[in-house]
Amino acid sequence: MTFEPESLGQSRTDLAAELRSEHRRAGITQTRLAQRCNMSQTKISNIEGGKLTPAIVDVELILEALGAESPAATKILALARTANTEWQDLWASRRRGIDKKQDELARLESATAEFRFFLPTMITGLLATPDYVRASLARNPGNMSKTVAKKLERQQVLTDPSKSFTFLLTEQAVRWPLASPITMSMQLDRLVSVSRIPTVRLGVIPLGTVGPVTETPLSVFTIYDRRLVQVETHTGALVLRDHRDVTAYRDDFERYESYALFGDECREQLSDWAAGFRS
């Protein structure tokens, strides 16, 4: 199925309407439907009222309980898939103010306990020095001081004992010369320091340790618990909430993790790369 970006995250109302229509066709009460699906009547009501975006597995259970047949079931499942996918447009974010995106990320981070970051292109803001953050924002128009400040403020979450972080960085991400050699060497020293924070597990994947072509990393992504994945592109980000998408990205993360250096091996490699920038 092909997604149109403008439709992503906007199909909950259409999905609710189609489910209500199929429910009327089946001719059973909402209470009876809830019993068949092993859900609460309130949950069914919220789904059919468009107040709750159901997981695809919930929609599958409802369709099975209603005895829905193709092509109606196919159409409804397609709507469910779209409703569980959100497109965050880069230009829309710029119009609202990039600092507002930092507020959204901070709220998401406060509600998440387990983080997995896969970083094949550059170093994420949670790990960045102030100079690296400023260099990463150089393409953006206007005064970025507020955004820089909020990015750095978000780093406090790394020391929250109720949370755990795993960062995987490729050699490409770590050594890409985004800033001056001295800034890059200081940034790599910062990674060494962060790797010692008890809540953080930081790994690097040197060139030469990558797997076969079938496991080539394609994009930056972050996994928040088992709830959602954010996949970054050049012009925005996809937010995926379908449990099958989340599971697929968790599986990918575990494969990439198997190639990474952690602990003292990681810190030794980072120190060697930092020395290369200093020389």
Side-chain angles (χ1 to χ4, degrees):
M1 181 176 67
T2 301
F3 289 130
E4 295 296 333
E6 60 271 16
S7 71
L8 299 184
Q10 299 177 1
S11 297
R12 186 167 65 186
T13 301
D14 293 339
L15 174 60
E18 291 293 334
L19 286 172
R20 288 196 304 271
S21 176
E22 194 62 25
H23 188 178
R24 286 194 296 270
R25 182 204 59 78
I28 63 174
T29 66
Q30 202 172 75
T31 301
R32 181 58 179 158
L33 175 58
Q35 291 172 343
R36 289 184 179 181
C37 298
N38 196 28
M39 299 180 192
S40 70
Q41 189 271 333
T42 299
K43 181 174 181 178
I44 294 291
S45 177
N46 286 337
I47 290 172
E48 293 189 348
K51 298 177 181 178
L52 173 68
T53 301
I56 292 181
V57 65
D58 291 335
V59 176
E60 290 172 339
L61 287 171
I62 291 172
L63 292 175
E64 182 180 354
L66 294 174
E69 299 179 355
S70 293
T74 300
K75 177 182 179 180
I76 291 172
L77 283 171
L79 284 171
R81 177 80 170 168
T82 306
N84 276 276
T85 307
E86 176 186 349
W87 171 249
Q88 297 180 347
D89 183 86
L90 174 63
W91 293 278
S93 293
R94 285 178 175 174
R95 287 193 298 270
R96 290 188 301 115
I98 296 179
D99 59 300
K100 301 295 192 302
K101 176 66 174 178
Q102 301 307 307
D103 294 334
E104 293 172 5
L105 289 171
R107 288 193 293 272
L108 182 56
E109 288 159 0
S110 69
T112 302
E114 183 183 63
F115 301 78
R116 287 174 168 82
F117 291 80
F118 181 65
L119 306 166
T121 58
M122 62 183 294
I123 297 165
T124 188
L126 286 180
L127 303 174
T129 64
D131 286 341
Y132 190 95
V133 171
R134 281 188 281 271
S136 72
L137 295 171
R139 289 194 314 149
N140 294 282
N143 188 341
M144 290 289 107
S145 58
K146 186 182 294 185
T147 301
V148 172
K150 288 188 175 182
K151 274 181 173 284
L152 297 176
E153 182 180 348
R154 283 176 45 225
Q155 294 178 358
Q156 297 177 18
V157 74
L158 295 176
T159 59
D160 186 335
S162 68
K163 302 182 185 298
S164 66
F165 299 82
T166 302
F167 296 93
L168 293 182
L169 300 99
T170 64
E171 180 175 345
Q172 162 83 1
V174 173
R175 300 183 68 185
W176 185 257
L178 185 70
S180 68
I182 186 61
T183 296
M184 292 303 300
S185 67
M186 294 173 65
Q187 174 59 69
L188 269 61
D189 289 342
R190 158 76 177 165
L191 295 179
V192 171
S193 298
V194 171
S195 73
R196 300 184 186 278
I197 298 175
T199 56
V200 172
R201 186 166 179 260
L202 190 148
V204 295
I205 306 175
L207 292 174
T209 60
V210 296
V213 175
T214 54
E215 296 184 14
T216 300
L218 297 177
S219 56
V220 174
F221 63 85
T222 305
I223 307 171
Y224 297 88
D225 293 325
R226 294 182 178 272
R227 294 182 294 120
L228 64 89
V229 179
Q230 179 168 285
V231 184
E232 297 183 26
T233 75
H234 186 61
T235 57
L238 278 171
V239 179
L240 307 172
R241 294 181 175 83
D242 180 6
H243 74 97
R244 289 173 292 192
D245 289 326
V246 176
T247 298
Y249 275 95
R250 286 176 68 97
D251 290 345
D252 285 347
F253 191 90
E254 289 179 4
R255 282 196 295 274
Y256 301 143
E257 193 174 10
S258 68
Y259 301 119
L261 304 177
F262 290 93
D264 289 339
E265 284 185 307
C266 171
R267 288 186 280 271
E268 182 178 350
Q269 182 67 83
L270 288 170
S271 296
D272 286 346
W273 290 335
F277 279 113
R278 282 191 287 270
S279 65

